[in-house]
Amino acid sequence: MTKEIMKQLLRSTLFITAIGSACPALAIDCGKPSSIVENTICNSSQLTWLDSVMSNANREALAGKNAAPALQHIEKWHDSRNACTSINCLRWAYLQGLSTLYQAPENFNWNGTWWNTSATNGNGGKIVISKASEWAFDFSGEIWGGVYKSALRSNVKKYWGLGFTDRIAWGGDCSVLFIPRPDGKIEINSDNSGSCKLLMQDYITIDGVYQRSDIDPRPAATLQSIGVLPTRALDERFRQLAGKDYLKYVWAANNVLYSEDQDDIGATVLTLSVKGAASRNAAIIMYTPEGKIWAMLVTPDAGKENKISISYITTEEGDKTPPKTLTNWRALFLD
């Protein structure tokens, strides 16, 4: 057995042992808090969210190469957190613990324009950080998902190298955490299911990994790169078939779902839609292992207000009548 395999087995053993016991790496079960500290955390949306973030960070650390020292740190941190007797103390305990686990660099260069490179197709975020000092920085930006958008701005305080704010303009007590990474990127985490729900509603979020760049560094999306089509060859075939409408199919692939092959021909069927505009920007793609393709695209009719246009394409030149799967889908858009 090689030394590397032994190391992997040791990490796995530590991880399973930690998760399988009453380990502080686990998030608090707010269905049955076991102490005043846990009850206090469960009574605060912000602290419950920070506990979840900490739990995720703990799991990553225990699954990494330095699992043994990580477990020692987690246990030591857990004891210090449980010594708290106030909400402020608990907040600081979580921020300090996260800073240590993420190895947040104190001399991080915050200023600049940052893009969410982990956002999926049709979603994104762009923030500008300025006036970074030893204790704080300003940020403003825009996040989007489909046609939904939200503007954000705040002064962010720094704690042990992390950025933290619960004072987003017009965002109530929306809590956002900025984690500088050793690779020069920023990981942003928000309480989007709690205190940020009103500000980041309708499928949009600031969460993700951000890279500094003047322009969006993400490569142009293709139907293959976003998982709609499985191979480059099939993607290229679809591109040739769709022509100038190819990018409209990519734009529609903001919310993608598998659907049923109602024709029972062994085809894969996917429905595509734009969040917030599913009745006017949508598509369906149906393909077989042999490379046969059928697709429909719904777009706004440029010549008629509040009307849509539906186009149909296929590789099967003799099939003038669309398959039942597409016909039934099209019926959803007809008056």
Side-chain angles (χ1 to χ4, degrees):
M1 186 177 291
T2 67
K3 185 179 293 186
E4 183 59 31
I5 293 176
M6 286 292 291
K7 290 180 179 179
Q8 292 177 359
L9 286 173
L10 178 60
R11 290 198 296 269
S12 299
T13 301
L14 283 168
F15 181 77
I16 293 170
T17 300
I19 299 304
S21 63
C23 175
L26 296 173
I28 294 171
D29 182 357
C30 286
K32 47 181 179 181
S34 61
S35 66
I36 296 175
V37 165
E38 291 192 0
N39 200 42
T40 302
I41 292 168
C42 292
N43 196 50
S44 164
S45 170
Q46 184 183 99
L47 292 178
T48 302
W49 160 67
L50 284 172
D51 185 68
S52 175
V53 176
M54 187 71 182
S55 175
N56 290 336
N58 286 340
R59 289 174 181 272
E60 290 180 11
L62 290 173
K65 294 182 179 180
N66 300 310
L71 182 57
Q72 292 178 354
H73 163 74
I74 291 167
E75 290 173 339
K76 184 178 179 180
W77 170 84
H78 185 259
D79 291 339
S80 66
R81 184 205 67 181
N82 285 350
C84 284
T85 58
S86 71
I87 290 177
N88 280 340
C89 175
L90 288 167
R91 182 188 299 116
W92 293 335
Y94 278 111
L95 294 175
Q96 186 178 35
L98 287 166
S99 175
T100 302
L101 280 174
Y102 277 102
Q103 301 178 352
E106 289 281 353
N107 59 345
F108 190 79
N109 180 13
W110 291 92
N111 289 329
T113 301
W114 301 81
W115 297 82
N116 188 345
T117 56
S118 60
T120 55
N121 184 55
N123 306 303
K126 173 189 175 183
I127 65 171
V128 177
I129 295 178
S130 60
K131 300 179 181 179
S133 67
E134 184 179 359
W135 305 108
F137 58 81
D138 290 339
F139 102 93
S140 61
E142 183 179 61
I143 56 177
W144 60 89
V147 299
Y148 297 115
K149 293 183 179 181
S150 184
L152 310 171
R153 61 182 175 86
S154 178
N155 178 257
V156 180
K157 304 299 182 185
K158 291 166 67 177
Y159 302 87
W160 297 283
L162 302 182
F164 175 79
T165 180
D166 54 4
R167 293 291 183 269
I168 302 289
W170 307 106
D173 58 353
C174 173
S175 302
V176 181
L177 187 62
F178 297 74
I179 303 170
R181 303 193 339 178
D183 62 3
K185 298 181 181 181
I186 299 174
E187 186 170 333
I188 298 182
N189 197 303
S190 72
D191 183 18
N192 53 30
S193 62
S195 61
C196 298
K197 195 169 184 179
L198 291 177
L199 187 63
M200 302 184 196
Q201 57 184 334
D202 298 322
Y203 310 102
I204 59 175
T205 180
I206 194 174
D207 294 35
V209 176
Y210 285 70
Q211 178 179 327
R212 187 186 352 246
S213 178
D214 292 333
I215 60 173
D216 192 340
R218 293 179 294 177
T222 68
L223 291 177
Q224 182 199 5
S225 71
I226 56 185
V228 173
L229 297 176
T231 66
R232 183 175 180 180
L234 189 61
D235 182 73
E236 185 58 33
R237 190 175 194 192
F238 191 95
R239 187 189 294 269
Q240 294 297 323
L241 185 65
K244 60 182 177 59
D245 283 340
Y246 178 83
L247 291 180
K248 294 180 181 179
Y249 279 93
V250 173
W251 163 242
N254 177 222
N255 185 39
V256 182
L257 301 171
Y258 286 112
S259 192
E260 181 183 356
D261 171 13
Q262 299 176 24
D263 296 88
D264 197 23
I265 59 173
T268 299
V269 182
L270 301 100
T271 56
L272 293 58
S273 62
V274 175
K275 297 171 185 175
S279 63
R280 297 173 59 78
N281 290 101
I284 184 170
I285 296 176
M286 181 176 181
Y287 65 87
T288 66
E290 300 77 30
K292 297 179 180 180
I293 298 171
W294 301 265
M296 280 185 178
L297 177 69
V298 173
T299 56
D301 191 327
K304 299 178 181 178
E305 187 176 358
N306 297 324
K307 297 293 183 179
I308 59 171
S309 174
I310 302 178
S311 58
Y312 169 61
I313 56 174
T314 182
T315 55
E316 309 310 295
E317 296 181 0
D319 289 358
K320 294 184 179 181
T321 302
K324 180 171 65 174
T325 303
L326 272 68
T327 301
N328 290 343
W329 179 83
R330 180 177 58 188
L332 300 174
F333 298 87
L334 301 178
D335 294 332

